[in-house]
């Protein structure tokens, strides 16, 4: 096996755009500060800018999104930064890029551009020789449905082998999401109970207490299912439900994850409730008669030996009462119900904005009666402030050539296959008020397992 070689140049298309501003410059500064980044950084865009303007943009980005400008790191970044201005449809743009690459043999190309531009950029990267030995990073959305996801991959594969494609789902780069793997597979006590014999149901809630934040035009093309369920929340399901990646083979984790996606039954309209917050249609960029969902609640069933009969309830919504992403694994009740009122035990894994692990237990109520009452042991609570950003982590992995925490084509397609049948208007979109937990129909969806566990706002 040949050793994986690190990238020797970092190229980002869409250098003057939003993603570069919010995520890429901050990640670059953070990597430089950590002392593990020293290679040419080449921004490409078609804005009529020069290098000085890009440097100013980088400064503004760091001020707004990078926790402030670190003088030493910023100087270093400015020294590494180069800029190519040109039309993505014009081969001379790629000749200029080739010149800037100055002999780099393993560049990393980050396509921080709309997917509609991928075919033309990929084609020219190939024709100009800039793709030789290169890796490519692409951002979600990875297609709009199963068919377009396949077409997108086919386009990229005309030039890049799948092993050179790094699809970023930033949830995979989150500390708390990666911790799911460690927590599950590095703790002996969990394995005996982590299955249909002891688990009653699993819930995942991704609540955001804000609306579409000026992204109406983008969001109205997507909706909650495409925006966060098909990718972020499915990754969480994969980590919760997969079998142990029992070998050190580099693809073991991704192999196990895709197996889970393939075992999930295609979602039926009866297992989905879609909602739209009141006022969404007045957002700039949103169609006045939009039927796009800003909330989705669904029930997944996994046809596997481990999970048969255990429902996975998933909820994601904008304009909810709080901002929090949380998993609750409810365990079956113990046999002697006279000792315990209410439900059995649970494990609560909070994935954002902070990391918490709580264990729901029954403890004897003080006094004469021999009965317990539910309480929760908060086992771990880490605030997110020092967290390495998901983008920093993932860009570092991509440059090192480690694909483990990136979405592989087969997994992307398997995740689409689960929801493909309910996309669009397969179910009605029901209104809900801002600051509530979604339409009534969703509130009652989980009644059979004791109802939804609503996360509380972080203190
Ligand atoms: C993005 C979605 O991928 O994830 C947004 O497009 C969503 O709509 C965001 O708000 C949530 O990410 P995080 O890291 O804040 O939970």
């Amino acid at each position: 096996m040949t050793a994986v070689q690190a990238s020797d140049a970092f190229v980002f298309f869409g250098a003057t755009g939003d993603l570069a501003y919010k995520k890429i410059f901050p990640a670059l500064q953070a990597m430089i500060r950590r002392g593990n980044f020293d290679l040419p950084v080449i921004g490409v865009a078609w804005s009529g800018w020069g290098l000085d303007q890009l440097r100013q943009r980088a400064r503004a980005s760091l001020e707004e999104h990078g926790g402030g400008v670190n003088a030493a790191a910023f100087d270093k970044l400015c020294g590494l930064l180069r800029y190519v201005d040109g039309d993505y449809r014009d081969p001379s743009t790629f000749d200029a890029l080739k010149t800037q690459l100055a002999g780099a043999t393993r560049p990393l190309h980050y396509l921080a551009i709309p997917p509609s531009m991928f075919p033309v950029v990929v084609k020219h990267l190939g024709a100009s020789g800039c793709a030789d030995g290169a890796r490519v990073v692409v951002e979600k959305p990875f297609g709009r449905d199963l068919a377009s996801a396949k077409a997108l991959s086919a386009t990229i594969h005309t030039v890049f082998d799948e092993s050179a494609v790094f699809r970023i789902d930033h949830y995979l780069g989150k500390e708390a999401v990666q911790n799911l793997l460690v927590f599950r597979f590095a703790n002996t006590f969990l394995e005996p109970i982590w299955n249909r014999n002891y688990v009653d149901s699993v819930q995942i809630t991704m609540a955001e207490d804000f609306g579409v934040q000026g992204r109406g035009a983008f969001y109205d093309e997507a909706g909650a299912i495409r925006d966060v369920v098909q990718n972020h929340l499915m990754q969480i399901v994969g980590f919760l439900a997969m079998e142990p990646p029992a070998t050190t083979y580099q693809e073991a984790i991704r192999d196990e994850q895709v197996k889970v996606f393939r075992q999930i039954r295609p979602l039926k309209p009866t297992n989905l409730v879609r909602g739209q917050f009141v006022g969404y249609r007045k957002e700039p960029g949103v169609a006045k008669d939009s039927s796009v969902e800003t909330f989705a609640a669904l029930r997944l069933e996994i046809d596997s030996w481990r999970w048969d009969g255990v429902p996975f309830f998933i909820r994601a919504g904008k304009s909810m009462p709080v901002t929090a992403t949380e998993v609750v694994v409810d365990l079956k009740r113990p046999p002697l119900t006279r000792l315990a009122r209410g439900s059995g035990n649970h494990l609560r894994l909070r994935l954002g904005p902070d990391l918490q692990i709580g264990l729901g237990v029954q403890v004897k109520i003080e006094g004469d009666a021999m009965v317990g009452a539910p309480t929760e042991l908060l086992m771990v609570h880490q605030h997110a402030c020092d967290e390495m950003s998901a983008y920093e982590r993932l860009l570092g992995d991509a440059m090192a050539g480690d694909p483990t925490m990136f979405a592989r084509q087969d997994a992307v397609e398997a995740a689409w296959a689960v929801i493909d049948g309910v996309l669009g208007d397969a179910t009605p979109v029901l209104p809900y008020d801002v600051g509530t937990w979604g339409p009534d129909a969703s509130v009652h969806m989980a009644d059979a397992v004791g109802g939804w566990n609503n996360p509380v706002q972080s203190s």
Side-chain angles (χ1 to χ4, degrees):
M1 205 175 108
T2 49
V4 178
Q5 294 194 307
S7 301
D8 55 3
F10 178 80
V11 180
F12 60 123
F13 289 82
T16 57
D18 207 41
L19 186 69
Y21 188 73
K22 288 187 178 150
K23 302 290 183 188
I24 298 178
F25 289 122
L28 291 173
Q29 171 170 272
M31 282 191 275
I32 291 171
R33 287 186 74 174
R34 256 178 243 272
N36 53 8
F37 188 94
D38 192 8
L39 58 165
V41 177
I42 306 163
V44 188
W46 193 25
S47 299
W49 287 19
L51 183 55
D52 278 345
Q53 269 167 297
L54 192 65
R55 285 180 177 148
Q56 281 166 27
R57 176 87 170 165
R59 176 181 282 283
S61 148
L62 299 177
E63 277 162 1
E64 203 178 336
H65 297 287
V69 174
N70 175 279
F74 183 67
D75 278 355
K76 171 123 193 181
L77 177 60
C78 287
L80 296 171
L81 199 59
R82 297 157 196 187
Y83 180 60
V84 173
D85 193 80
D87 184 346
Y88 296 152
R89 290 162 301 187
D90 183 349
S92 67
T93 305
F94 295 81
D95 294 340
L97 173 59
K98 183 96 179 144
T99 306
Q100 290 293 352
L101 281 171
T105 53
R106 295 178 306 280
L108 180 94
H109 299 290
Y110 192 144
L111 307 189
I113 51 177
S116 57
M117 295 304 296
F118 286 4
V120 67
V121 171
V122 166
K123 184 179 99 185
H124 286 305
L125 281 174
S128 61
C130 293
D132 297 351
R135 302 185 175 111
V136 66
V137 175
V138 295
E139 271 289 328
K140 82 172 194 38
F142 313 125
R144 292 185 48 74
D145 52 21
L146 180 56
S148 57
K150 285 183 175 169
L152 184 63
S153 283
T155 298
I156 295 171
H157 290 161
T158 54
V159 171
F160 294 96
D161 184 73
E162 177 65 19
S163 62
V165 183
F166 290 71
R167 294 179 190 79
I168 285 207
D169 176 327
H170 79 281
Y171 264 55
L172 287 174
K174 281 180 182 267
E175 181 76 22
V177 174
Q178 296 197 353
N179 178 58
L180 289 177
L181 290 180
V182 175
F183 187 69
R184 267 202 64 195
F185 298 124
N187 289 305
T188 313
F189 79 92
L190 273 186
E191 181 54 22
I193 59 169
W194 205 257
N195 55 52
R196 58 189 287 276
N197 296 322
Y198 289 92
V199 175
D200 197 41
S201 67
V202 178
Q203 294 187 9
I204 307 171
T205 298
M206 176 184 179
E208 295 179 312
D209 68 0
F210 47 85
V212 291
Q213 294 186 308
R215 296 161 74 224
F218 157 79
Y219 198 85
D220 211 38
E221 289 285 315
I225 298 176
R226 289 188 170 100
D227 187 36
V228 298
V229 175
Q230 186 274 344
N231 33 71
H232 304 332
L233 298 188
M234 287 293 280
Q235 304 292 1
I236 295 171
V237 172
F239 282 0
L240 290 171
M242 72 197 238
E243 295 303 311
T247 78
T248 52
Y249 169 57
Q250 197 189 30
E251 290 294 327
I253 290 179
R254 303 204 293 178
D255 283 352
E256 293 304 335
Q257 197 168 23
V258 74
K259 278 190 217 162
V260 174
F261 295 163
R262 288 184 180 142
Q263 289 165 333
I264 302 175
R265 288 190 208 153
L267 191 61
K268 292 195 210 107
T270 44
N271 283 339
L272 169 69
V273 174
R274 294 192 311 133
Q276 188 186 79
F277 68 79
V278 174
Y280 171 70
R281 292 176 187 176
K282 295 204 182 94
E283 294 279 343
V286 170
K288 299 286 163 258
D289 58 351
S290 173
S291 61
V292 163
E293 77 283 349
T294 60
F295 170 93
L298 42 130
R299 176 193 165 115
L300 296 179
E301 278 149 17
I302 306 180
D303 278 334
S304 72
W305 189 267
R306 190 185 282 270
W307 295 114
D308 182 70
V310 180
F312 279 63
F313 291 97
I314 294 179
R315 232 177 3 166
K318 302 277 186 197
S319 297
M320 302 268 101
V322 300
T323 294
T325 301
E326 206 162 90
V327 173
V328 175
V329 178
D330 264 317
L331 300 180
K332 293 191 169 163
R333 67 166 182 77
L336 296 179
T337 43
R338 67 189 155 78
L339 292 182
R341 286 182 208 147
S343 63
N345 306 153
H346 71 250
L347 190 67
R348 188 174 58 83
L349 299 148
R350 189 173 173 105
L351 309 179
D354 45 347
L355 190 166
Q356 294 180 24
I357 302 178
L359 183 63
V361 296
Q362 296 275 346
V363 176
K364 183 181 172 302
I365 297 175
E366 203 182 337
D368 287 345
M370 198 59 169
V371 289
T375 186
E376 190 181 82
L377 311 175
L378 186 57
M379 303 191 291
V380 176
H381 191 183
Q382 290 171 10
H383 290 282
C385 45
D386 294 330
E387 196 192 318
M388 183 189 241
S389 85
Y391 273 85
E392 180 191 352
R393 191 188 307 265
L394 292 174
L395 284 185
D397 285 357
M399 285 189 280
D402 180 354
T404 313
M405 290 298 151
F406 292 83
R408 209 171 60 188
Q409 181 196 359
D410 52 358
V412 168
E413 291 178 10
W416 278 120
V418 173
I419 57 168
D420 216 40
V422 296
L423 291 171
D425 292 334
T427 55
V429 68
L430 308 171
Y432 63 94
D433 288 326
V434 169
T436 66
W437 287 104
D440 282 349
S442 75
V443 172
H444 296 299
M445 202 171 173
D447 282 357
V449 295
W452 291 101
N453 294 279
N454 292 333
V456 295
Q457 192 74 50
S458 294
S459 48

